[in-house]
């Protein structure tokens, strides 16, 4: 059975005071919540500080990016083994904002996926279609091609202990989430696509939804059978709102779980 996973992607937000205040508040809010895995992804510079404040908690640490090299003359970069060294567990790759603003290709993202797996960390691979692709009925083809680069390079077993985050670009930071049935359709497609390669891997892989998730729409998204939690942007910046999303995931009843 899959446990939901909620990750708060702070993107380029926060400061050192927020890190300590947020984590103290979140730990209080979630002290009695079970049945949902949780991680926060503050900007790189605050990861170590966040780790300190997370000591003794089950809330995990997630990085927003990683370089494809382990070490060397790569000014400004941060490697997967450094992230492992400071206690990160997950690393987000393939986010639309990096694909778009930093021109990261599918192949480059697959290299990141490989280096993260080599370090024993967990990649959170973001995939998803643009508005134009959605309107041209290309959603499935786009998601398949974004999965293919990893499947072709590393095989389906690479998705053992990896996370997929379906984030339709048109839903990111727009306040316009995909409706739960739309999202479920794509999540099911993603899982079925992996079934073609390896059913056991497909059955266990966590597929998060991302794009304008908030405390109001979370519960309905999480009742969908193939939506295993969320990658949350804006709504992850306030501890009480983020905690409400985590609680919705912890309490969500899947259709097959009620019978
Ligand atoms: P929002 O929740 O702000 O739409 O951002 C989603 C996202 O990009 C998470 O990675």
């Amino acid at each position: 059975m899959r446990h939901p996973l909620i990750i708060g992607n702070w993107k380029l937000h926060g400061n050192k005071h927020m890190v300590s205040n947020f984590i103290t508040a979140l730990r209080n809010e979630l002290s009695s919540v079970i049945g949902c895995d949780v991680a926060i992804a503050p900007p790189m510079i605050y990861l170590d500080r966040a780790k300190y404040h997370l000591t003794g908690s089950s809330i995990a640490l997630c990085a927003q990016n990683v370089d494809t090299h382990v070490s060397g003359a790569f000014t400004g970069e941060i490697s997967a083994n450094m992230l492992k060294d400071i206690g990160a567990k997950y690393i987000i790759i393939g986010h639309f904002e990096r694909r778009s603003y930093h021109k990261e290709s599918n192949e480059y993202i697959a290299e990141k996926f490989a280096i993260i797996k080599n370090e024993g960390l967990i990649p959170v691979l973001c995939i998803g279609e643009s508005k134009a692709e959605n309107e041209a009925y290309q959603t499935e083809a786009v998601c398949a091609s974004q999965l293919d680069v990893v499947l072709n390079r590393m095989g389906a077993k690479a998705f053992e202990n990896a996370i997929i985050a379906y984030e339709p670009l048109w839903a990111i930071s727009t306040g316009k989430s995909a409706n739960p049935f739309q999202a479920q359709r794509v999540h099911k497609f993603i899982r079925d696509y992996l079934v073609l390669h390896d059913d056991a891997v497909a059955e266990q892989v966590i597929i998060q939804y991302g794009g304008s998730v908030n405390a109001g729409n979370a519960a309905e998204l999480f009742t969908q059978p193939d939506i295993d939690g969320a990658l949350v942007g804006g709504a992850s910046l306030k501890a009480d709102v983020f905690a409400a999303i985590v609680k919705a995931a912890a309490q969500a009843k899947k259709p097959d779980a009620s019978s």
Side-chain angles (χ1 to χ4, degrees), residues 140-252:
E140 296 185 353
V142 171
C143 290
S145 69
Q146 291 171 339
L147 294 171
D148 277 344
V149 282
V150 175
L151 289 167
N152 294 340
R153 183 188 173 116
M154 302 177 70
K157 291 273 185 264
F159 285 95
E160 243 169 24
N161 222 8
I163 312 292
I164 298 169
Y166 169 59
E167 297 208 308
L169 277 50
W170 45 271
I172 296 177
S173 307
T174 58
K176 228 184 129 229
S177 163
N179 82 46
F181 306 105
Q182 252 178 333
Q184 164 59 24
R185 247 198 328 270
V186 183
H187 281 232
K188 174 140 178 39
F189 167 79
I190 293 167
R191 199 174 307 284
D192 287 348
Y193 194 72
L194 292 175
V195 165
L196 299 176
H197 298 266
D198 189 316
D199 354 348
V201 169
E203 184 46 40
Q204 61 78 46
V205 74
I206 298 290
I207 308 177
Q208 296 180 305
Y209 168 78
S212 298
V213 175
N214 58 46
N217 61 19
E220 207 184 346
L221 284 161
F222 300 149
T223 56
Q224 300 302 317
D226 291 290
I227 300 184
D228 309 318
L231 184 54
V232 185
S236 73
L237 297 173
K238 289 222 161 67
D240 56 341
V241 177
F242 185 60
I245 295 170
V246 173
K247 288 173 192 168
Q251 289 160 10

